[in-house]
Amino acid sequence: MKKVLIVEDDPMVAMINKKYINSFEGFSVAGCVSKRSDFFKFISDKKVDLIIMDVYMPGKSGLELLKEMREAGHTTDVIMVTAANSVKEVKKALAYGVVDYLIKPFEFERLKEALEKYKARAVVFSERENVQQNEIDKLYTSETVDEELPKGIQNKTLNKIINLMENEDMEKIWTIKELSEKLMISGVTIKKYMDYLEKIEKIRSTIFHRQRGRPEYRYMLIR
């Protein structure tokens, strides 16, 4: 279970983020803070794996807090959140090693994506002594299909499906219903993408015949 600290000066936003993060498998909010003194006491006294940090805070900005945190030797992963989108602030945040950067207002699907990326990153860096180049590449690049995509197939949706299947369990057998519920995408759309992934030999399918009703398609990644 990854322990998350929320650094946010708006109590309502902090509460919403806490509720959402706690609902996400593998994550638990360890606390919420809004002041510099509380922040440093918390990360010094308790185990924190990930920090969700707002850029604007009373007294000291999140970027200043992040800089001070790094200078103090704290290497905890940080996802930065901001209502501003200035290149200068983004570059500063990246220079201080944030693992993702969310611009308000953002959809919770984007926060989910950030948490999934963090989880994949945590697996690579915490459970292995050595990493392969392709594992590092997956952390910093979006995997796309080299050939031109056919009409109706979008890179963003395609990568969501591939990333979910790869990050959950390479041996897992998926149904259209499971993928649809996880990604909140219609079953008809999922089927279209699965047909394409099977065509390019990224996955293979089998048909399970039920006693009643239509046969069920089941899918597995090709390793």
Side-chain angles (χ1 to χ4, degrees):
M1 185 70 71
K2 298 299 181 184
K3 298 294 184 180
V4 181
L5 173 63
I6 297 174
V7 184
E8 169 64 60
D9 68 325
D10 186 324
M12 183 62 70
V13 173
M15 182 183 71
I16 293 171
N17 288 345
K18 178 180 179 180
K19 182 177 180 181
Y20 182 82
I21 293 168
N22 279 336
S23 71
F24 195 76
E25 185 178 356
F27 291 86
S28 175
V29 174
C32 302
V33 298
S34 60
K35 297 178 181 178
R36 176 192 173 281
S37 57
D38 293 338
F39 170 73
F40 278 102
K41 178 173 174 51
F42 199 102
I43 62 175
S44 296
D45 294 347
K46 299 182 181 180
K47 181 182 183 299
V48 176
D49 300 295
L50 177 66
I51 298 169
I52 309 291
M53 182 182 290
D54 196 337
V55 166
Y56 294 110
M57 296 178 62
K60 184 168 290 232
S61 75
L63 282 174
E64 292 175 309
L65 202 61
L66 177 60
K67 179 175 182 289
E68 192 176 347
M69 168 188 163
R70 295 303 189 216
E71 289 174 345
H74 295 286
T75 58
T76 309
D77 287 324
V78 175
I79 293 176
M80 186 66 76
V81 177
T82 176
N85 58 355
S86 76
V87 172
K88 184 177 180 181
E89 286 191 345
V90 174
K91 288 178 70 175
K92 279 185 178 180
L94 294 174
Y96 293 136
V98 299
V99 297
D100 210 333
Y101 195 94
L102 306 185
I103 298 174
K104 293 179 179 180
F106 56 84
E107 296 180 359
F108 278 101
E109 182 66 25
R110 180 61 182 85
L111 177 56
K112 178 182 178 182
E113 181 181 322
L115 294 174
E116 287 175 343
K117 285 181 180 178
Y118 166 76
K119 187 192 291 187
R121 184 177 188 272
V123 168
V124 171
F125 289 121
S126 66
E127 298 183 4
R128 318 262 181 95
E129 289 187 4
N130 300 293
V131 295
Q132 302 300 316
Q133 182 65 57
N134 67 318
E135 293 174 316
I136 294 174
D137 291 344
K138 285 181 181 180
L139 298 178
Y140 294 100
T141 61
S142 296
E143 186 171 333
T144 57
V145 179
D146 292 334
E147 65 183 274
E148 184 178 350
L149 295 176
K151 185 177 180 180
I153 302 293
Q154 302 294 324
N155 266 328
K156 185 176 180 181
T157 303
L158 188 64
N159 288 329
K160 278 185 179 181
I161 295 171
I162 293 172
N163 289 336
L164 173 63
M165 296 180 74
E166 289 183 339
N167 291 337
E168 287 269 338
D169 182 353
M170 293 291 286
E171 303 293 335
K172 180 176 173 62
I173 297 173
W174 294 86
T175 65
I176 289 175
K177 182 180 179 182
E178 287 174 323
L179 290 165
S180 176
E181 290 175 350
K182 286 267 188 180
L183 296 169
M184 291 181 285
I185 299 173
S186 74
V188 173
T189 299
I190 292 291
K191 180 63 168 62
K192 178 173 64 176
Y193 278 84
M194 300 312 279
D195 287 345
Y196 175 70
L197 289 171
E198 186 172 17
K199 180 181 177 183
I200 64 171
E201 299 183 344
K202 180 71 178 176
I203 63 171
R204 63 173 174 267
S205 70
T206 56
I207 300 177
F208 177 74
H209 293 278
R210 302 171 175 175
Q211 290 184 343
R212 296 181 180 179
R214 294 181 180 179
E216 180 182 67
Y217 285 90
R218 296 182 176 181
Y219 302 92
M220 187 174 179
L221 285 167
I222 295 176
R223 301 188 66 175

